[in-house]
Amino acid sequence: FTPKRTKIRNGTKEDVEKLVDLYYQFYLTTDYSNNYAYDPETVTILTEALIDNGILLVAESNGNIVGSVGAYVGPFLFNKNHKTSTEVVWWVHPDYRKGDVGHALLKALEKQAKSMGAITNTMIRLNSSPEYVDQYYERQGYTFSEKNFTKRL
């Protein structure tokens, strides 16, 4: 579980500026950064949309945001009668990865998604993610569902 000084809570509009900075650190680790420049305005819009219409959770330690997870919750693409949650961002500052901050964020995301009526949650494993992420997801009860490919046009 998270250290006593680390708290998982809902993100707020007051957090957006800090989250946009945090997400920039995350973005630099992705292969998407090879194709698209990071646009803080777009990420601000995305972050506010997750706060207003999805799930946006933050891990806070000593007044600093040290991690976050965000997801859209809505109808499953092939059956509008079922809701699903799809992760958009999940990132923990490297200094906080040795503990359970990431795990606590995931469990809080799953709980909130379920309370919003989602029957599934989809987590993403980026090409740049460490290999152990696959095993972690499987230990949490996730099954492999798809792989994506990107081509610059």
Side-chain angles (χ1 to χ4, degrees):
F1 302 164
T2 58
K4 289 183 181 182
R5 67 181 191 276
T6 302
K7 174 183 172 184
I8 306 299
R9 63 171 176 78
N10 287 317
T12 66
K13 297 287 175 93
E14 290 76 30
D15 297 322
V16 171
E17 187 176 336
K18 290 178 185 176
L19 287 167
V20 170
D21 291 340
L22 185 83
Y23 295 157
Y24 178 66
Q25 295 174 49
F26 158 73
Y27 191 74
L28 292 176
T29 71
T30 72
D31 291 339
Y32 294 118
S33 64
N34 297 326
N35 291 312
Y36 314 99
Y38 185 81
D39 181 43
E41 182 181 354
T42 300
V43 178
T44 297
I45 293 166
L46 170 66
T47 305
E48 290 175 347
L50 291 173
I51 290 168
D52 292 339
N53 302 308
I55 299 170
L56 195 288
L57 301 169
V58 299
E60 187 175 61
S61 179
N62 299 321
N64 298 310
I65 295 175
V66 299
S68 178
V69 66
Y72 284 121
V73 177
F76 177 64
L77 293 175
F78 298 101
N79 187 333
K80 65 178 174 42
N81 299 306
H82 297 285
K83 274 189 174 179
T84 187
S85 169
T86 304
E87 176 227 341
V88 175
V89 63
W90 182 34
W91 198 78
V92 176
H93 188 280
D95 293 346
Y96 289 82
R97 291 184 187 165
K98 298 269 188 213
D100 290 332
V101 173
H103 181 74
L105 282 165
L106 177 62
K107 290 304 169 190
L109 170 71
E110 292 173 347
K111 182 178 179 181
Q112 195 161 338
K114 187 173 183 176
S115 75
M116 294 172 73
I119 62 170
T120 57
N121 182 53
T122 300
M123 296 298 291
I124 309 302
R125 205 278 260 168
L126 296 171
N127 188 48
S128 58
S129 297
E131 287 294 323
Y132 66 80
V133 172
D134 292 354
Q135 291 80 29
Y136 173 78
Y137 285 148
E138 290 169 354
R139 283 194 315 272
Q140 302 310 309
Y142 289 82
T143 57
F144 178 76
S145 55
E146 77 177 70
K147 191 179 256 190
N148 295 311
F149 294 85
T150 302
K151 177 182 177 181
R152 186 158 181 100
L153 304 178

